[in-house]
Amino acid sequence: MTGPSSGPRGEHAPKPGVTWQTELVRTEQLVNDDAPDPAPPNRATRRALKRAARRNK
């Protein structure tokens, strides 16, 4: 059995198309103060929020 080599390993370039391509997307939306309230969250969202709240207790 051999031990680790003392020489550093060379760099290797990833395969083409493997690297992440990130794009910044702005998700904020400006809402006027006199605009009507948005629709309430659906049932699946409400259940997920309650489940998360129970876990954090």
Side-chain angles (χ1 to χ4, degrees):
M1 189 164 128
T2 61
S5 66
S6 59
R9 296 176 66 181
E11 283 190 40
H12 96 282
K15 290 187 252 179
V18 173
T19 57
W20 289 87
Q21 300 296 326
T22 57
E23 183 176 324
L24 297 178
V25 178
R26 186 175 182 142
T27 59
E28 293 179 5
Q29 293 180 350
L30 297 178
V31 179
N32 291 335
D33 289 336
D34 56 350
D37 289 335
N42 63 14
R43 182 172 185 244
T45 304
R46 290 193 312 266
R47 290 174 57 120
L49 289 171
K50 283 186 180 181
R51 219 176 11 254
R54 282 196 307 259
R55 268 191 215 143
N56 290 337
K57 284 185 179 183

